[in-house]
Amino acid sequence: MSDIILRQTPHSPVRLAAIETANPPTIINQSTAVELIDIHYGSVLKPRSLEIMRQVLSHPSIKKRHIAVDSLEKIVALKDEDPDIRMARFEQWSVKLSVEAARKVLQQRDVDPKEVTAIFVNTCTGYLCPGIATYCIEELGLSPQVKAFDLVGLGCGGALPNIQLAQDHLIANPNGIVLSIAVEICSATFQMGDDISLLISNAIFGDGAAAALLWCKDDGVELFKTESLFSPANRNDVRYLYKNGALHNKLSISLPKITAGFVPTLVETLLSSAGLSIPDIDHWAIHPGGEKILSNIQAALGLSDSDMAPSRSVLSNYGNMSSPSVLFELKEILDNTSDSPGWIAALAFGAGMSLHGYLLKK
């Protein structure tokens, strides 16, 4: 643990006013995915690789995923997708889903798009220049003077540092209203091969976006405290690699154990300075990296099955959507708990290796 770097952000009055989400309409059930793998990759993958794919796809922790294509039939085309077509698909769907989620969250809180003073967008599954934020400015009708920031390279944990930057911006500009958007088209990084990282990735990842609205009004959930923890020595355990000009996901088979080894340190630091301990937390939103990761974290923190329910619900219905996933969980918690007070701990982690935590107060 000697390579770990801790970073702390102080308390602020910034509040999370609302969260909304968006997904592509095309849904693939895991059982259907098994059939497609057998038909289209039966002669491509080694027998052991096919067996691994069947086992992961048949696990009950994930029922279905959303994929950014126009129809179920087009999922097969991912096998031989031209790189230029893939980038065009990333552009189309990353913008579409970002705008859809953002428009919904603005409508929920009756905010005119021209009132938005800053927009932050994070993604790690594709690259656009100018960034996704500029497309959102156009499609949403934001002010041409809006502050716009695109964040890359943050991986599955990216939504929480995104919100941290939005919070910091509002501390400096307390009269503002900020959109924080996390969007991932994980299918735009689809690569098939006998590498265990690719096999698992293709069986668990889905596509989606989430938009959060932040302000300093006395209405919403208080962003009470945030912490981050980095272990560069574990960089190669979870990352993207460029091979032949395309992104390839790399996931260590030891990742569930590695992640669970760091999470208690992050949680202790997050809670202790607020005078809290694990039993004081009413709700947990933990990035659904996979069932093994969730089970290892549950054991490491001593959490109950009800504590893990939002994480397992999102994993079951959407798979691992990378960075938007934790916001999907926070939305589920906020929607299901109404106005009841309490503490919420959000945890997200991924490339780096990086881990991020947020303490929220209802």
Side-chain angles (χ1 to χ4, degrees):
M1 303 285 284
S2 60
D3 291 334
I4 292 172
I5 306 165
L6 290 175
R7 177 163 52 83
Q8 179 175 329
T9 297
H11 164 81
S12 83
V14 178
R15 295 181 185 274
L16 177 61
I19 298 173
E20 287 293 350
T21 62
N23 297 94
T26 299
I27 298 173
I28 183 167
N29 297 318
Q30 295 295 78
S31 58
T32 301
V34 172
E35 297 173 3
L36 293 177
I37 291 297
D38 285 342
I39 293 171
H40 297 282
Y41 292 96
S43 61
V44 176
L45 297 174
K46 296 178 180 178
R48 176 56 180 160
S49 298
L50 283 170
E51 182 58 28
I52 291 173
M53 285 289 291
R54 294 189 191 107
Q55 288 177 2
V56 179
L57 287 167
S58 299
H59 196 280
S61 60
I62 300 177
K63 295 179 181 178
K64 59 186 180 181
R65 294 172 287 156
H66 292 250
I67 306 297
V69 292
D70 294 324
S71 66
L72 189 60
E73 291 73 22
K74 290 189 177 181
I75 289 179
V76 176
L78 298 181
K79 179 180 178 182
D80 301 307
E81 191 173 34
D82 179 85
D84 291 342
I85 294 176
R86 174 160 294 185
M87 180 51 64
R89 186 168 63 84
F90 171 82
E91 177 180 326
Q92 173 193 353
W93 285 99
S94 63
V95 173
K96 179 181 176 64
L97 297 180
S98 296
V99 169
E100 180 181 342
R103 184 169 284 131
K104 286 163 65 176
V105 83
L106 291 173
Q107 291 174 348
Q108 182 192 144
R109 299 313 302 258
D110 196 25
V111 173
D112 188 300
K114 290 291 192 294
E115 295 180 81
V116 175
T117 55
I119 178 172
F120 294 78
V121 182
N122 73 273
T123 190
C124 69
T125 49
Y127 177 74
L128 294 179
C129 182
I132 296 171
T134 64
Y135 292 81
C136 292
I137 292 170
E138 178 183 18
E139 296 291 331
L140 293 169
L142 304 184
S143 166
Q145 283 79 42
V146 69
K147 305 296 184 184
F149 305 89
D150 284 275
L151 314 173
V152 298
L154 298 175
C156 291
L160 296 191
N162 181 335
I163 288 180
Q164 179 192 338
L165 286 170
Q167 178 183 11
D168 291 345
H169 180 84
L170 281 167
I171 291 172
N173 304 275
N175 294 321
I177 297 177
V178 176
L179 275 173
S180 172
I181 300 172
V183 58
E184 304 291 1
I185 310 302
C186 297
S187 63
T189 69
F190 179 89
Q191 303 289 339
M192 184 61 84
D194 291 301
D195 185 331
I196 187 68
S197 296
L198 301 181
L199 298 173
I200 293 176
S201 296
N202 294 334
I204 70 172
F205 279 95
D207 301 333
L213 188 71
L214 290 80
W215 57 27
C216 292
K217 299 179 183 181
D218 190 20
D219 183 8
V221 180
E222 183 180 351
L223 296 172
F224 193 82
K225 184 174 171 48
T226 180
E227 294 283 353
S228 293
L229 183 156
F230 298 90
S231 180
N234 293 102
R235 179 177 294 123
N236 288 322
D237 290 310
V238 50
R239 67 176 303 175
Y240 273 121
L241 295 174
Y242 263 107
K243 295 182 179 179
N244 300 317
L247 288 172
H248 289 65
N249 207 3
K250 180 175 174 58
L251 303 171
S252 168
I253 60 173
S254 301
L255 190 58
K257 181 178 179 180
I258 293 169
T259 305
F262 287 127
V263 164
T265 300
L266 176 67
V267 170
E268 180 181 3
T269 307
L270 180 67
L271 302 185
S272 61
S273 59
L276 301 174
S277 61
I278 288 175
D280 295 316
I281 303 303
D282 301 283
H283 308 284
W284 293 84
I286 302 173
H287 171 61
E291 177 54 36
K292 286 186 177 180
I293 285 179
L294 292 179
S295 295
N296 275 262
I297 290 175
Q298 180 177 3
L301 297 179
L303 302 180
S304 67
D305 286 343
S306 61
D307 290 328
M308 304 299 295
S311 301
R312 291 200 166 103
S313 173
V314 169
L315 182 65
S316 176
N317 292 306
Y318 302 96
N320 180 351
M321 294 173 288
S322 188
S323 65
S325 300
V326 71
L327 297 182
F328 273 67
E329 295 172 38
L330 282 173
K331 174 176 168 55
E332 183 168 313
I333 290 169
L334 296 177
D335 287 349
N336 292 336
T337 57
S338 187
D339 295 327
S340 59
W343 290 100
I344 304 171
L347 307 176
F349 32 81
M353 179 174 203
S354 57
L355 301 93
H356 309 281
Y358 244 109
L359 184 61
L360 301 91
K361 186 178 182 181
K362 293 188 64 183

